[in-house]
C-alpha cells in the first residue's frame, strides 16, 4: 500500500504517541477531523496501524520486574518455506515477545520475557532448543533498559546547566 503524504504524517504522529486526540491530530496534519478519522480508519483496516500499545517501565512496578532475554538462534531452513515455518513455531510460544530474521552469524533473534532467569533457561532448554530446525542458541539477558522504541528511560531530573563560578 502506498501512503499519501498525509497518511504517512498521521502514522508517524501516532507511532510517537498513540494517545494523540483526533482533534489535535487533525490540526497537526491540517485536515478536518472527519477526514483525519477516515484516514486513520483506512490505515487500521489495511493493517498499516496494527495495534496501539503502552510502553511500561516494569522496574517501577514492585514485584513485576521479570527478566527479558534476547536469544540468537541458528536454524536449518526448510525447503520451500525457508525460515518462516520455524519462526512461526517459535513466535507461537507465549513467552516470546518478538522474532526477527537477521543477517550475520545467527538466523533469528528472539526476545522473550519470564519471571526469572530459571524460567528463561527452562524455555531455552525444554522448548526452543528441542525444535527440529534449531541448531544452536546464544542467550543474552537484558540487565538494564536505557532506551526502547525511541523512548529514553530514567533520564533523571538532574540540573544540566553549566556551573558558573566567580
Amino acid at each position: 500500500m502506498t501512503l499519501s503524504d498525509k497518511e504517512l504524517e498521521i502514522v508517524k504522529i501516532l507511532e510517537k504517541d498513540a494517545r494523540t486526540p483526533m482533534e489535535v491530530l487533525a490540526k497537526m496534519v491540517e485536515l478536518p477531523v472527519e477526514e483525519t478519522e477516515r484516514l486513520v480508519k483506512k490505515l487500521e483496516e489495511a493493517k498499516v496501524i496494527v495495534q496501539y500499545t503502552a510502553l511500561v517501565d516494569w522496574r517501577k512496578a514492585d514485584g513485576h520486574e521479570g527478566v527479558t532475554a534476547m536469544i540468537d538462534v541458528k536454524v536449518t531452513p526448510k525447503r520451500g518455506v525457508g525460515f518462516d515455518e520455524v519462526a512461526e513455531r517459535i513466535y507461537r510460544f507465549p513467552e516470546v515477545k518478538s522474532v526477527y530474521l537477521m543477517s550475520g552469524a545467527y538466523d533469528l533473534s528472539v526476545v522473550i520475557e519470564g519471571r526469572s532467569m530459571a524460567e528463561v533457561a527452562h524455555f531455552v532448554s525444554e522448548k526452543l532448543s528441542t525444535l527440529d530446525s534449531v541448531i544452536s542458541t546464544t542467550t543474552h539477558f537484558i540487565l538494564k533498559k536505557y532506551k526502547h522504541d525511541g523512548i529514553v528511560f530514567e533520564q533523571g531530573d538532574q540540573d544540566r546547566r553549566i556551573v558558573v563560578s566567580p
Side-chain angles (χ1 to χ4, degrees):
M1 171 179 191
T2 303
L3 301 181
S4 69
D5 290 342
K6 292 295 182 184
E7 290 169 333
L8 189 58
E9 200 174 345
I10 289 169
V11 169
K12 287 181 179 180
I13 292 167
L14 291 177
E15 184 179 36
K16 282 187 178 180
D17 184 3
R19 295 183 70 186
T20 304
M22 197 58 64
E23 296 76 20
V24 174
L25 182 61
K27 284 180 185 175
M28 292 172 80
V29 297
E30 300 174 338
L31 288 174
V33 174
E34 299 77 26
E35 176 68 11
T36 305
E37 288 173 338
R38 187 187 67 73
L39 289 175
V40 169
K41 184 173 173 61
K42 175 184 167 190
L43 292 164
E44 290 170 346
E45 289 172 353
K47 299 291 186 203
V48 173
I49 297 174
V50 179
Q51 182 176 334
Y52 299 94
T53 62
L55 180 58
V56 178
D57 188 351
W58 287 106
R59 294 174 303 147
K60 294 184 178 178
D62 292 338
H64 297 282
E65 296 86 4
V67 176
T68 304
M70 298 177 86
I71 307 166
D72 298 326
V73 184
K74 188 130 184 88
V75 300
T76 303
K78 292 196 174 182
R79 187 178 304 268
V81 293
F83 297 102
D84 295 347
E85 186 177 288
V86 70
E88 183 177 345
R89 287 195 64 198
I90 292 170
Y91 72 60
R92 289 189 180 278
F93 289 113
E95 302 91 337
V96 174
K97 300 302 170 200
S98 305
V99 178
Y100 305 99
L101 179 61
M102 305 296 289
S103 63
Y106 289 89
D107 303 308
L108 299 173
S109 181
V110 179
V111 179
I112 72 161
E113 291 178 357
R115 289 186 302 262
S116 65
M117 287 182 156
E119 190 174 284
V120 171
H122 180 266
F123 170 81
V124 173
S125 64
E126 301 297 322
K127 295 180 179 179
L128 184 61
S129 63
T130 60
L131 295 175
D132 291 337
S133 297
V134 173
I135 298 169
S136 67
T137 64
T138 303
T139 304
H140 309 275
F141 289 98
I142 294 177
L143 303 176
K144 183 175 181 179
K145 205 179 281 188
Y146 293 100
K147 185 175 182 179
H148 181 81
D149 284 344
I151 306 298
V152 176
F153 289 78
E154 295 289 327
Q155 275 184 299
D157 295 327
Q158 300 169 1
D159 188 354
R160 296 188 184 271
R161 295 178 289 179
I162 298 173
V163 176
V164 179
S165 59

